[in-house]
């Protein structure tokens, strides 16, 4: 019998009560594998605190016993950032029970949410007040506010509204020693030195546990049209984006692209789905155009006029405008299912990359050529958020490949090459999915040493014993071999 270990668990149980602590494999196991099924961990126990005070008490206890803590929200992350190491020494800290929307203030257009609020629930609560939360993504039914903040998530409305960082007005964070940093009150002007809350946004639970946030809301939309357009090339997509921005300005909320093979994969994956256009096109664009308030010039007229001009200029081969909300949703379902459809196709190396928007079409073409020539039998596809310069660049393994050996062999070499190409193009190897455990070695290999040094110094100041989310994002000392 290991006495300190038993004492730790007994004290933990006293803090959390029976609803807040589990060691039952049936309960814990589903949370030990990441969404992509790439990482499998183990945990001492699953702790699910009911409020911030309990999180604080758990963190203080873990600090006292030197127990590592891995925070987790909806477990829908793409980089293995919420999966513990397989050694089973860490406590898995689920924020899912903290799912209260503490307040919604329609006049101030703000909501105070606990970390475990699911994105979809916030959408619905804001809508009930004639407002909306202007960030969305395919995983909205499981992704939580805490996870979205910890990874500084992006999604499909960044073009107009920015990433998660732009939506966070205030934050409540529990530090590794259990202290509560309360910066929930939003202030438009605040010059008391460092903007400390920014440290925790995008830090992937390595500096503190986000327990609540004050979030920005915007007016509800009064009308929306989703355009599905068939295009002859990715360059035409970029030209169409510029054209739509000039013609429709701020009314454009999203501009997503996918190549035909990606649409084919989605149609095969969703048996009831229908292709929006009859013909086949090298590329497809989904464009969301919205109106807010009531003084709206007919949106449909404006969109039709913009598209007619795009046809005249040869930017578009075919296009359809959603005729109803149901059709608009059906178009988005196709887009939001790409990730799952691609996952079902077999082993692939996924790269969540950004380069300056103007250079993205040429990047997709040349990177695809380079990779497919160097690794015969692979297929490279880029899809996603062209509007903000973030593409998901997936490289599928040759047919019949065994996943594990490929990912640690040729797949790994492919990822290094893709990241080299991105870095040479002045881009980022993680645009919206974070570093997690997936890209830690690559960050170390490619990041500016000054950036890495600053990150390590901040980590050392807040979590010198590396108890918070170990093995993710950045280690105090340089490491290798973990990707
Ligand atoms: C998306 O845009 O669909 C997501 O970020 C997921 C992905 O990388 O596939
Ligand atoms: Zn994305």
């Amino acid at each position: 019998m290991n006495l300190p270990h038993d004492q730790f668990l007994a004290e933990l149980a006293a803090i959390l009560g029976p609803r807040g602590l589990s060691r039952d494999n049936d309960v814990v196991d589903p949370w030990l594998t990441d969404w992509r099924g790439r990482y499998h961990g183990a945990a001492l126990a699953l702790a699910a605190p009911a409020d911030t005070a309990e999180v604080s008490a758990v963190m203080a206890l873990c600090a006292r016993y030197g127990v590592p803590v891995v925070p987790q929200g909806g477990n829908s992350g793409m980089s293995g950032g919420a999966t513990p190491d397989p050694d089973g020494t860490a406590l898995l800290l689920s924020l899912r029970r903290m799912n209260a929307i503490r307040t919604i203030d329609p006049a101030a257009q703000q909501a105070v949410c606990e970390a475990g609020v699911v994105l979809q629930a916030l959408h619905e609560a804001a809508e009930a007040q004639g407002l909306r939360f202007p960030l969305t993504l395919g995983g909205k039914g499981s992704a939580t506010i805490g996870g979205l903040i910890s990874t500084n998530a992006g999604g499909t409305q960044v073009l107009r509204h920015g990433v998660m960082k732009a939506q966070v007005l205030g934050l409540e964070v529990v530090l590794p020693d259990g202290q509560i940093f309360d910066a929930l009150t939003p202030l438009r002007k605040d010059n008391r030195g460092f903007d400390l809350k920014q440290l925790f946004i995008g830090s992937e639970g390595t500096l503190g546990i986000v327990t609540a946030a004050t979030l920005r809301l915007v007016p509800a939309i009064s009308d929306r049209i989703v355009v599905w357009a068939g295009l002859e090339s990715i360059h035409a997509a970029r030209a169409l984006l510029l054209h739509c921005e000039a013609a429709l300005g701020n009314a454009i909320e999203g501009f997503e692209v996918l190549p035909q093979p990606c649409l084919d994969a989605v149609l095969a994956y969703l048996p009831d789905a229908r292709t929006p256009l009859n013909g086949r096109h090298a590329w497809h664009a989904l464009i969301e155009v919205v109106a807010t308030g009531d003084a709206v010039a007919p949106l449909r007229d404006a969109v039709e006029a913009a598209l007619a001009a795009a046809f005249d200029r040869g930017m578009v081969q075919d296009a359809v405008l959603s005729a109803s909300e149901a059709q608009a949703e059906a178009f988005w379902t196709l887009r939001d299912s790409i990730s799952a459809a691609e996952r079902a196709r077999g082993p692939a190396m996924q790269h969540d990359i950004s380069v300056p928007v103007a250079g993205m079409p040429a990047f997709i073409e040349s990177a695809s050529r380079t990779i497919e020539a160097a690794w015969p039998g692979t297929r490279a596809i880029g899809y996603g958020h062209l509007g903000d310069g973030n593409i998901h660049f997936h490289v599928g393994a040759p047919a019949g490949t065994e996943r594990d050996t490929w990912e640690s062999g040729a797949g790994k070499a492919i990822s290094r090459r893709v990241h080299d190409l991105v870095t040479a193009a002045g881009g980022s190897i993680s645009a919206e999915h974070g570093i997690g455990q997936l890209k830690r070695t690559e960050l170390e290999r490619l990041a500016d040493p000054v950036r890495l040094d600053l990150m390590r110094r901040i980590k050392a100041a807040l979590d010198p014993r590396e108890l918070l989310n170990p093995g993710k994002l950045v280690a105090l000392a340089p490491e290798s071999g973990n990707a």
Side-chain angles (χ1 to χ4, degrees):
M1 184 165 78
N2 180 338
L3 203 55
H5 171 268
D6 287 352
Q7 266 170 15
F8 168 76
L9 288 172
E11 288 186 48
L12 195 59
I15 294 168
L16 294 167
R19 275 196 68 199
L21 185 65
S22 180
R23 303 193 71 204
D24 178 346
N25 287 347
D26 289 347
V27 176
V28 184
D29 281 3
W31 305 104
L32 295 175
T33 298
D34 73 310
W35 185 83
R36 280 202 162 121
R38 185 164 183 180
Y39 300 102
H40 307 281
L44 207 52
L46 174 66
D51 56 29
T52 305
E54 286 189 6
V55 177
S56 164
V58 168
M59 293 308 291
L61 182 73
C62 289
R64 193 145 53 79
Y65 280 88
V67 172
V69 178
V70 175
Q72 191 181 78
N75 197 26
S76 52
M78 301 282 183
S79 304
T83 309
D85 285 345
D87 66 12
T89 56
L91 179 70
L92 188 60
L93 183 73
S94 165
L95 279 301
R96 287 181 292 275
R97 260 181 92 205
M98 291 182 58
N99 61 359
I101 296 176
R102 290 184 189 164
T103 56
I104 291 193
D105 181 343
Q109 303 196 339
Q110 291 166 5
V112 180
C113 291
E114 291 185 346
V117 170
V118 171
L119 180 56
Q120 175 94 47
L122 176 59
H123 284 167
E124 285 162 12
E127 204 182 312
Q129 303 280 345
L131 295 164
R132 72 190 163 119
F133 178 61
L135 185 140
T136 193
L137 36 74
K140 59 180 178 262
S142 51
T144 60
I145 295 304
L148 294 164
I149 292 173
S150 300
T151 55
N152 190 24
T156 50
Q157 290 176 330
V158 172
L159 181 59
R160 178 163 173 205
H161 297 286
V163 295
M164 196 66 190
K165 196 178 278 269
Q167 324 309 333
V168 178
L169 306 174
L171 211 58
E172 179 188 87
V173 181
V174 175
L175 301 179
D177 60 5
Q179 290 189 82
I180 300 169
F181 173 55
D182 180 354
L184 273 178
T185 307
L187 296 171
R188 289 219 173 195
K189 298 181 89 172
D190 179 11
N191 263 351
R192 290 173 293 175
F194 307 146
D195 187 355
L196 291 169
K197 71 176 181 303
Q198 298 295 347
L199 266 184
F200 301 97
I201 306 175
S203 67
E204 303 186 29
T206 61
L207 301 178
I209 311 286
V210 171
T211 47
T214 305
L215 300 171
R216 161 183 174 256
L217 303 175
V218 299
I221 56 173
S222 51
D223 195 7
R224 79 159 167 167
I225 290 173
V226 179
V227 178
W228 193 285
L231 313 164
E232 74 175 3
S233 71
I234 186 66
H235 295 279
R238 165 83 176 134
L240 181 63
L241 169 64
L242 290 175
H243 168 77
C244 288
E245 282 179 333
L248 299 163
N250 262 348
I252 301 180
E253 292 240 326
F255 194 103
E256 301 284 309
V257 293
L258 58 153
Q260 182 70 47
C262 230
L263 179 59
D264 292 339
V266 173
L267 294 170
Y269 179 73
L270 300 174
D272 296 333
R274 294 180 47 208
T275 177
L277 303 171
N278 289 327
R280 293 174 70 77
H281 303 272
W283 284 85
H284 296 256
L286 178 154
I287 310 158
E288 168 138 315
V289 195
V290 306
T292 50
D294 27 71
V296 184
L299 190 62
R300 188 162 294 271
D301 292 356
V303 176
E304 279 174 357
L307 272 180
F311 270 111
D312 289 347
R313 291 178 205 174
M315 293 169 187
V316 175
Q317 293 178 315
D318 195 4
V320 57
L321 276 62
S322 59
S324 63
E325 191 50 29
Q327 196 177 18
E329 271 307 304
F331 290 172
W332 271 114
T333 300
L334 294 174
R335 161 63 187 96
D336 287 340
S337 304
I338 298 175
S339 206
E342 280 293 319
R343 187 171 71 152
R345 281 182 90 174
M349 302 308 287
Q350 293 98 7
H351 309 94
D352 162 43
I353 58 176
S354 60
V355 300
V357 187
M360 186 51 96
F363 179 86
I364 293 174
E365 284 184 342
S366 71
S368 301
R369 267 198 310 269
T370 305
I371 298 297
E372 288 176 356
W375 284 274
T378 57
R379 53 170 189 97
I381 55 145
Y383 72 88
H385 324 291
L386 183 71
D388 59 42
N390 169 202
I391 286 290
H392 302 300
F393 188 78
H394 290 193
V395 181
T401 304
E402 203 274 314
R403 176 177 169 161
D404 287 351
T405 40
W406 191 69
E407 281 181 353
S408 55
K412 192 168 176 177
I414 288 169
S415 286
R416 286 171 70 97
R417 180 74 72 85
V418 171
H419 291 156
D420 286 345
L421 294 170
V422 170
T423 305
S428 167
I429 65 165
S430 177
E432 63 170 2
H433 293 168
I435 297 295
Q437 44 189 314
L438 180 67
K439 295 183 188 167
R440 199 164 91 157
T441 308
E442 284 294 81
L443 181 73
E444 219 160 72
R445 185 172 75 86
L446 294 168
D448 169 8
V450 179
R451 171 189 285 259
L452 273 178
D453 182 49
L454 275 173
M455 286 172 73
R456 287 202 176 100
R457 284 203 250 169
I458 292 168
K459 175 76 173 166
L462 269 74
D463 182 25
R465 292 153 72 202
E466 294 195 279
L467 292 180
L468 251 185
N469 215 4
K472 318 291 164 32
L473 186 54
V474 72
L476 284 185
E479 279 183 64
S480 60
N482 59 351

